[in-house]
Amino acid sequence: MGSAMVRNLLKKGYTVQGWARHPDKASALVQAGLKLKDSIAAAVADADIVFTMVGGPADVRELYLGPDGILKHVKKGTILIDCTSSSPALAEEIFKTAELSGCEALDMPVSGGQKGAEEGTLSLFAGGKRETLEKVMPVLDAVSKTVTYEGPAGYGQHTKLVNQIMVAGQLAGMCEGFAYAIEKGLDLKAVLKSVSPGAARCASLDLYGEKILQGDKNPGGALRYLVKDLKNAYAELEGSGLDLAVSRQAMKCYETMESEGHGNDGTQALTWFYSEHRKKNS
């Protein structure tokens, strides 16, 4: 998704330079106009805005707060935008540390999947200062369709976790419906045509319905990232007494799939989880 966002920034005429942990994976972006640097310091030292999108909280912490992290090298006044689905508490820590360095920080996780990233129609959830967000809105227009100010630092991440909790239940219901249709030998094309106009319609059905018809497990979003985000959500709820039973049950299925080597499959692969497990256990 980060690569697609870079492409859209380049298409809009912005000068983009960057650093990649695996430079070989950025060769196509270099051809498109990215100025690839050989270190974090070289990439961010003269930047006005820094975007990051990595795997999870541990990567974000190292990238920003590590001994050779971004905050060691940026100039005063730089605006830092982390688009990783990460931890609200870590977003607050980065925000406070950035202020001490004379910088501004926004936590801004995204929704919309690979398709949204490629088409520049992502939805962005922004946490931090509203006035900081206003400064970068022209740049965000290059990668997004919707940008919403959620509140103080960490609130962007909280909203992303809300999104993932909702998505987990939605996905599970859709996949289980198709699993039932497969079990009963229904015409999946007819099923999709029948349920799409009614109350069963949802973003997951729009994104993954055709993929399921084709038996396509390739990710729009890899299921291991959904597991990671749900774990972050439950960590936030620890000690609150609130138990999100539906999304927890969905996560258990996705965790099992990840443990069996399917972490890079698309979330729609849950459709075939039940029948495959029945075969294993029969």
Side-chain angles (χ1 to χ4, degrees), residues 131-199:
E131 53 266 35
T132 304
L133 177 61
E134 293 298 328
K135 292 177 185 178
V136 297
M137 283 298 293
V139 179
L140 299 179
D141 284 343
V143 298
S144 66
K145 182 178 181 180
T146 305
V147 183
T148 306
Y149 177 68
E150 308 296 347
Y155 276 46
Q157 295 296 345
H158 278 303
T159 306
K160 173 65 175 185
L161 296 181
V162 170
N163 183 84
Q164 298 302 77
I165 291 164
M166 290 180 175
V167 164
Q170 185 186 98
L171 276 166
M174 178 196 67
C175 292
E176 289 191 352
F178 276 113
Y180 178 93
I182 292 168
E183 175 68 16
K184 293 302 179 182
L186 300 181
D187 180 336
L188 296 188
K189 187 174 181 179
V191 169
L192 180 60
K193 182 179 179 180
S194 299
V195 303
S196 291

Coordinates of all heavy atoms in Angstrom, one line a residue, residues 131-199:
E131 N -4.8 21.6 13.6 CA -4.1 22.6 12.7 C -2.9 21.9 11.9 O -2.6 22.4 10.8 CB -3.5 23.7 13.6 CG -2.7 23.4 14.8 CD -3.5 23.3 16.1 OE1 -4.7 22.8 16.0 OE2 -3.0 23.6 17.1
T132 N -2.3 20.9 12.5 CA -1.3 20.1 11.8 C -1.9 19.4 10.6 O -1.4 19.4 9.5 CB -0.6 19.1 12.7 OG1 -0.1 19.7 13.8 CG2 0.5 18.4 12.0
L133 N -3.1 18.8 10.8 CA -3.8 18.1 9.7 C -4.1 19.1 8.6 O -3.9 18.8 7.4 CB -5.0 17.5 10.2 CG -5.9 16.8 9.2 CD1 -5.2 15.7 8.5 CD2 -7.2 16.3 9.8
E134 N -4.5 20.3 8.9 CA -4.9 21.3 7.9 C -3.7 21.6 7.0 O -3.8 21.9 5.8 CB -5.4 22.6 8.5 CG -6.8 22.4 9.2 CD -7.9 21.9 8.3 OE1 -7.8 22.3 7.1 OE2 -8.8 21.2 8.7
K135 N -2.5 21.6 7.6 CA -1.3 22.0 6.8 C -1.0 21.0 5.7 O -0.4 21.3 4.7 CB -0.1 22.0 7.8 CG -0.1 23.2 8.7 CD 1.1 23.1 9.7 CE 1.1 24.2 10.7 NZ 2.2 24.1 11.7
V136 N -1.4 19.7 6.0 CA -1.0 18.6 5.0 C -2.1 18.2 4.1 O -1.9 17.3 3.3 CB -0.4 17.4 5.7 CG1 0.9 17.8 6.5 CG2 -1.4 16.8 6.7
M137 N -3.3 18.8 4.2 CA -4.4 18.3 3.5 C -4.2 18.3 1.9 O -4.6 17.4 1.3 CB -5.7 19.2 3.8 CG -6.3 18.8 5.1 SD -7.0 17.1 5.2 CE -8.3 17.2 4.0
P138 N -3.5 19.3 1.4 CA -3.3 19.3 -0.1 C -2.5 18.1 -0.5 O -2.7 17.5 -1.6 CB -2.5 20.6 -0.3 CG -2.9 21.5 0.8 CD -3.0 20.6 2.0
V139 N -1.5 17.6 0.3 CA -0.7 16.5 0.0 C -1.6 15.2 0.2 O -1.5 14.3 -0.7 CB 0.5 16.4 0.9 CG1 1.3 15.1 0.6 CG2 1.4 17.6 0.8
L140 N -2.4 15.1 1.2 CA -3.2 14.0 1.4 C -4.2 13.8 0.3 O -4.7 12.6 0.1 CB -4.0 14.1 2.8 CG -3.0 14.2 4.0 CD1 -3.9 14.4 5.3 CD2 -2.1 13.0 4.1
D141 N -4.6 14.8 -0.4 CA -5.6 14.7 -1.5 C -5.0 13.8 -2.6 O -5.8 13.2 -3.4 CB -5.9 16.1 -2.1 CG -6.8 16.9 -1.2 OD1 -7.5 16.3 -0.4 OD2 -6.9 18.1 -1.4
A142 N -3.7 13.6 -2.6 CA -3.1 12.8 -3.7 C -3.3 11.3 -3.4 O -3.2 10.5 -4.3 CB -1.6 13.1 -3.8
V143 N -3.6 10.9 -2.2 CA -3.6 9.5 -1.8 C -5.0 9.1 -1.3 O -5.2 7.9 -1.0 CB -2.5 9.2 -0.8 CG1 -1.1 9.4 -1.4 CG2 -2.7 9.9 0.5
S144 N -5.9 10.0 -1.0 CA -7.1 9.7 -0.3 C -8.3 10.3 -0.9 O -8.3 11.3 -1.6 CB -7.0 10.1 1.1 OG -6.9 11.5 1.2
K145 N -9.5 9.7 -0.6 CA -10.8 10.3 -0.9 C -11.4 10.9 0.3 O -12.1 11.9 0.2 CB -11.7 9.1 -1.4 CG -13.0 9.6 -1.9 CD -13.9 8.5 -2.4 CE -15.3 8.9 -2.9 NZ -16.1 7.8 -3.4
T146 N -11.1 10.4 1.5 CA -11.7 10.9 2.7 C -10.6 11.0 3.8 O -9.9 10.0 4.0 CB -12.8 9.9 3.2 OG1 -13.8 9.7 2.2 CG2 -13.5 10.5 4.5
V147 N -10.5 12.1 4.4 CA -9.7 12.4 5.6 C -10.5 12.9 6.7 O -11.2 13.9 6.6 CB -8.5 13.4 5.3 CG1 -7.6 13.5 6.5 CG2 -7.8 13.0 4.0
T148 N -10.5 12.2 7.8 CA -11.3 12.6 9.0 C -10.5 12.8 10.2 O -9.6 12.0 10.6 CB -12.3 11.5 9.3 OG1 -13.1 11.1 8.2 CG2 -13.3 11.9 10.4
Y149 N -10.7 14.0 10.8 CA -10.0 14.3 12.1 C -10.7 13.6 13.2 O -11.9 13.8 13.4 CB -9.9 15.8 12.3 CG -9.3 16.2 13.6 CD1 -7.9 16.0 13.8 CD2 -10.0 16.7 14.7 CE1 -7.3 16.3 15.0 CE2 -9.4 17.0 15.9 CZ -8.1 16.8 16.1 OH -7.5 17.1 17.3
E150 N -10.0 12.7 13.9 CA -10.6 11.9 14.9 C -10.5 12.5 16.3 O -11.3 12.2 17.2 CB -10.0 10.5 14.9 CG -10.0 9.8 13.5 CD -11.4 9.5 13.0 OE1 -12.4 9.6 13.7 OE2 -11.5 9.2 11.8
G151 N -9.4 13.3 16.5 CA -9.1 13.8 17.9 C -7.7 13.8 18.2 O -6.8 13.8 17.3
P152 N -7.3 13.9 19.5 CA -5.9 14.0 19.8 C -5.0 12.8 19.4 O -5.6 11.8 18.9 CB -5.9 14.1 21.4 CG -7.3 14.4 21.7 CD -8.2 13.9 20.6
A153 N -3.7 12.9 19.6 CA -2.8 11.8 19.3 C -3.3 10.5 19.8 O -3.8 10.4 21.0 CB -1.4 12.1 19.9
G154 N -3.3 9.5 19.0 CA -3.7 8.1 19.3 C -5.1 7.9 18.8 O -5.5 6.7 18.7
Y155 N -5.9 8.9 18.6 CA -7.3 8.7 18.2 C -7.5 8.1 16.8 O -8.4 7.5 16.5 CB -8.1 10.0 18.4 CG -8.6 10.2 19.8 CD1 -7.8 10.0 20.9 CD2 -9.9 10.6 20.0 CE1 -8.3 10.2 22.2 CE2 -10.4 10.8 21.3 CZ -9.6 10.6 22.4 OH -10.0 10.8 23.6
G156 N -6.5 8.5 15.9 CA -6.5 7.8 14.6 C -6.4 6.3 14.7 O -7.1 5.6 14.0
Q157 N -5.4 5.9 15.6 CA -5.2 4.5 15.8 C -6.4 3.8 16.4 O -6.8 2.7 16.1 CB -4.0 4.2 16.6 CG -2.7 4.7 16.0 CD -2.3 3.9 14.8 OE1 -2.9 2.8 14.5 NE2 -1.4 4.4 14.0
H158 N -7.0 4.5 17.4 CA -8.3 4.0 18.0 C -9.3 3.7 17.0 O -10.0 2.7 17.0 CB -8.8 4.9 19.1 CG -8.1 4.8 20.4 ND1 -8.0 3.6 21.1 CD2 -7.5 5.7 21.2 CE1 -7.4 3.8 22.3 NE2 -7.0 5.1 22.3
T159 N -9.5 4.7 16.0 CA -10.5 4.6 15.0 C -10.2 3.5 14.1 O -11.1 2.7 13.6 CB -10.7 5.9 14.3 OG1 -11.0 7.0 15.2 CG2 -11.9 5.9 13.3
K160 N -9.0 3.3 13.7 CA -8.6 2.2 12.9 C -8.9 0.8 13.6 O -9.4 -0.1 12.9 CB -7.1 2.2 12.6 CG -6.5 1.0 11.9 CD -7.1 0.8 10.5 CE -6.4 -0.3 9.7 NZ -6.9 -0.4 8.3
L161 N -8.8 0.7 14.9 CA -9.1 -0.5 15.6 C -10.6 -0.7 15.6 O -11.1 -1.8 15.4 CB -8.6 -0.5 17.0 CG -7.0 -0.4 17.1 CD1 -6.6 -0.4 18.6 CD2 -6.4 -1.6 16.4
V162 N -11.4 0.4 15.7 CA -12.8 0.3 15.5 C -13.2 -0.3 14.1 O -14.0 -1.2 14.0 CB -13.5 1.7 15.7 CG1 -15.0 1.6 15.3 CG2 -13.4 2.2 17.1
N163 N -12.5 0.2 13.1 CA -12.7 -0.3 11.8 C -12.4 -1.8 11.7 O -13.2 -2.5 11.1 CB -11.8 0.5 10.8 CG -12.0 0.1 9.4 OD1 -12.8 0.6 8.7 ND2 -11.1 -0.8 8.9
Q164 N -11.3 -2.2 12.2 CA -10.9 -3.6 12.1 C -11.9 -4.5 12.9 O -12.1 -5.7 12.5 CB -9.5 -3.8 12.6 CG -8.5 -3.0 11.8 CD -8.5 -3.4 10.3 OE1 -9.4 -2.9 9.6 NE2 -7.5 -4.2 9.9
I165 N -12.4 -4.1 14.1 CA -13.3 -4.9 14.8 C -14.6 -5.0 14.0 O -15.1 -6.2 13.9 CB -13.7 -4.2 16.2 CG1 -12.4 -4.2 17.1 CG2 -14.9 -4.8 16.8 CD1 -12.5 -3.3 18.3
M166 N -15.1 -4.0 13.3 CA -16.2 -4.1 12.5 C -16.0 -5.0 11.3 O -16.8 -5.8 10.9 CB -16.6 -2.7 12.0 CG -17.2 -1.8 13.1 SD -17.6 -0.1 12.4 CE -18.4 0.6 13.8
V167 N -14.8 -4.8 10.7 CA -14.5 -5.6 9.5 C -14.4 -7.1 9.9 O -14.8 -8.0 9.1 CB -13.1 -5.1 8.9 CG1 -12.6 -6.2 8.0 CG2 -13.3 -3.8 8.2
A168 N -13.9 -7.4 11.0 CA -13.7 -8.8 11.4 C -15.0 -9.6 11.4 O -15.2 -10.7 10.9 CB -13.0 -8.9 12.8
G169 N -16.1 -8.9 12.0 CA -17.4 -9.6 12.1 C -18.0 -9.6 10.7 O -18.7 -10.6 10.3
Q170 N -17.9 -8.5 10.0 CA -18.4 -8.5 8.6 C -17.9 -9.5 7.7 O -18.6 -10.3 7.0 CB -18.2 -7.1 8.1 CG -18.8 -6.7 6.7 CD -18.2 -5.4 6.2 OE1 -17.3 -5.3 5.4 NE2 -18.8 -4.3 6.7
L171 N -16.5 -9.6 7.7 CA -15.9 -10.7 6.9 C -16.3 -12.1 7.3 O -16.5 -12.9 6.4 CB -14.3 -10.5 7.1 CG -13.6 -9.5 6.3 CD1 -12.2 -9.3 6.8 CD2 -13.5 -10.0 4.8
A172 N -16.3 -12.3 8.6 CA -16.7 -13.7 9.1 C -18.1 -14.1 8.6 O -18.3 -15.2 8.1 CB -16.6 -13.7 10.6
G173 N -19.0 -13.1 8.7 CA -20.4 -13.4 8.3 C -20.4 -13.7 6.8 O -21.1 -14.6 6.3
M174 N -19.7 -12.9 6.0 CA -19.7 -13.1 4.5 C -19.1 -14.4 4.2 O -19.7 -15.2 3.4 CB -18.9 -12.0 3.9 CG -18.8 -12.1 2.4 SD -17.5 -11.1 1.6 CE -16.1 -11.9 2.3
C175 N -17.9 -14.7 4.8 CA -17.2 -16.0 4.4 C -18.1 -17.2 4.9 O -18.1 -18.2 4.2 CB -15.9 -16.0 5.1 SG -14.7 -14.8 4.4
E176 N -18.7 -17.1 6.0 CA -19.5 -18.2 6.5 C -20.7 -18.5 5.6 O -21.1 -19.6 5.3 CB -19.9 -18.0 7.9 CG -18.8 -18.2 8.9 CD -19.2 -18.2 10.4 OE1 -20.4 -18.0 10.7 OE2 -18.3 -18.5 11.2
G177 N -21.3 -17.4 5.1 CA -22.4 -17.5 4.1 C -22.0 -18.2 2.9 O -22.7 -19.2 2.4
F178 N -20.8 -17.9 2.3 CA -20.3 -18.6 1.2 C -19.9 -20.0 1.5 O -20.1 -20.9 0.6 CB -19.1 -17.8 0.6 CG -19.5 -16.7 -0.4 CD1 -19.3 -15.4 0.0 CD2 -20.2 -17.0 -1.6 CE1 -19.7 -14.3 -0.9 CE2 -20.5 -15.9 -2.4 CZ -20.3 -14.6 -2.1
A179 N -19.4 -20.3 2.7 CA -19.1 -21.6 3.1 C -20.3 -22.5 3.1 O -20.3 -23.7 2.7 CB -18.4 -21.6 4.4
Y180 N -21.4 -21.9 3.6 CA -22.7 -22.6 3.6 C -23.1 -22.9 2.1 O -23.6 -24.0 1.8 CB -23.7 -21.8 4.3 CG -25.1 -22.4 4.3 CD1 -25.5 -23.3 5.4 CD2 -26.0 -22.2 3.3 CE1 -26.8 -23.8 5.4 CE2 -27.3 -22.8 3.3 CZ -27.7 -23.6 4.4 OH -28.9 -24.2 4.4
A181 N -23.0 -21.9 1.3 CA -23.4 -22.1 -0.1 C -22.6 -23.2 -0.8 O -23.1 -24.0 -1.6 CB -23.3 -20.8 -0.9
I182 N -21.3 -23.2 -0.5 CA -20.4 -24.2 -1.1 C -20.8 -25.6 -0.6 O -20.9 -26.6 -1.4 CB -19.0 -23.9 -0.8 CG1 -18.5 -22.7 -1.5 CG2 -18.1 -25.1 -1.2 CD1 -17.2 -22.1 -1.1
E183 N -21.1 -25.7 0.7 CA -21.5 -27.0 1.3 C -22.8 -27.5 0.7 O -22.9 -28.7 0.5 CB -21.7 -26.8 2.8 CG -22.2 -28.0 3.6 CD -21.2 -29.2 3.6 OE1 -20.0 -28.9 3.4 OE2 -21.7 -30.3 3.9
K184 N -23.7 -26.7 0.4 CA -25.0 -27.1 -0.2 C -25.0 -27.2 -1.7 O -26.0 -27.5 -2.3 CB -26.1 -26.2 0.3 CG -26.3 -26.3 1.8 CD -26.7 -27.7 2.2 CE -26.9 -27.8 3.7 NZ -27.2 -29.2 4.1
G185 N -23.8 -26.9 -2.3 CA -23.7 -27.0 -3.8 C -24.5 -25.9 -4.6 O -24.9 -26.1 -5.7
L186 N -24.6 -24.8 -4.0 CA -25.4 -23.7 -4.7 C -24.5 -23.1 -5.7 O -23.2 -23.2 -5.7 CB -25.8 -22.6 -3.7 CG -26.7 -23.1 -2.5 CD1 -27.0 -21.9 -1.6 CD2 -28.0 -23.7 -3.0
D187 N -25.1 -22.4 -6.7 CA -24.4 -21.7 -7.7 C -23.9 -20.4 -7.1 O -24.7 -19.5 -6.8 CB -25.4 -21.4 -8.9 CG -24.8 -20.6 -10.0 OD1 -23.8 -19.9 -9.8 OD2 -25.3 -20.7 -11.2
L188 N -22.6 -20.3 -6.9 CA -22.1 -19.1 -6.2 C -22.3 -17.8 -6.9 O -22.6 -16.7 -6.3 CB -20.6 -19.3 -5.9 CG -20.2 -20.4 -5.0 CD1 -18.7 -20.3 -4.6 CD2 -21.1 -20.4 -3.7
K189 N -22.3 -17.9 -8.3 CA -22.6 -16.7 -9.0 C -24.0 -16.2 -8.8 O -24.3 -15.0 -8.6 CB -22.3 -17.0 -10.5 CG -22.4 -15.7 -11.4 CD -22.0 -16.1 -12.8 CE -22.1 -14.8 -13.7 NZ -21.7 -15.1 -15.1
A190 N -24.9 -17.1 -8.8 CA -26.3 -16.8 -8.5 C -26.5 -16.2 -7.1 O -27.3 -15.3 -6.9 CB -27.2 -18.0 -8.8
V191 N -25.8 -16.9 -6.1 CA -25.9 -16.4 -4.8 C -25.4 -15.0 -4.6 O -26.1 -14.1 -4.0 CB -25.1 -17.3 -3.8 CG1 -24.9 -16.7 -2.4 CG2 -25.7 -18.7 -3.7
L192 N -24.3 -14.7 -5.2 CA -23.7 -13.3 -5.1 C -24.7 -12.3 -5.8 O -24.9 -11.2 -5.2 CB -22.4 -13.3 -5.8 CG -21.7 -11.9 -5.8 CD1 -21.4 -11.4 -4.4 CD2 -20.3 -12.0 -6.6
K193 N -25.2 -12.7 -6.9 CA -26.2 -11.8 -7.6 C -27.4 -11.6 -6.7 O -28.0 -10.5 -6.7 CB -26.6 -12.4 -8.9 CG -27.6 -11.5 -9.7 CD -27.9 -12.2 -11.1 CE -28.9 -11.3 -11.9 NZ -29.2 -11.9 -13.2
S194 N -27.8 -12.6 -6.0 CA -29.0 -12.5 -5.2 C -28.9 -11.7 -3.9 O -29.7 -10.9 -3.6 CB -29.5 -13.9 -4.8 OG -29.8 -14.7 -5.9
V195 N -27.7 -11.9 -3.2 CA -27.6 -11.2 -1.9 C -27.0 -9.8 -2.0 O -27.2 -9.0 -1.1 CB -26.7 -12.0 -1.0 CG1 -27.3 -13.4 -0.8 CG2 -25.2 -12.1 -1.5
S196 N -26.3 -9.5 -3.2 CA -25.7 -8.2 -3.3 C -26.6 -7.0 -3.2 O -26.2 -5.9 -2.6 CB -24.9 -8.1 -4.6 OG -23.8 -9.0 -4.5
P197 N -27.8 -7.0 -3.7 CA -28.7 -5.8 -3.6 C -29.4 -5.7 -2.3 O -29.9 -4.6 -2.0 CB -29.8 -6.1 -4.7 CG -29.3 -7.3 -5.5 CD -28.4 -8.1 -4.6
G198 N -29.4 -6.7 -1.4 CA -30.1 -6.7 -0.2 C -29.3 -6.3 1.0 O -28.2 -5.7 1.0
A199 N -29.8 -6.7 2.2 CA -29.2 -6.3 3.5 C -27.9 -7.0 3.7 O -27.1 -6.5 4.5 CB -30.2 -6.7 4.6

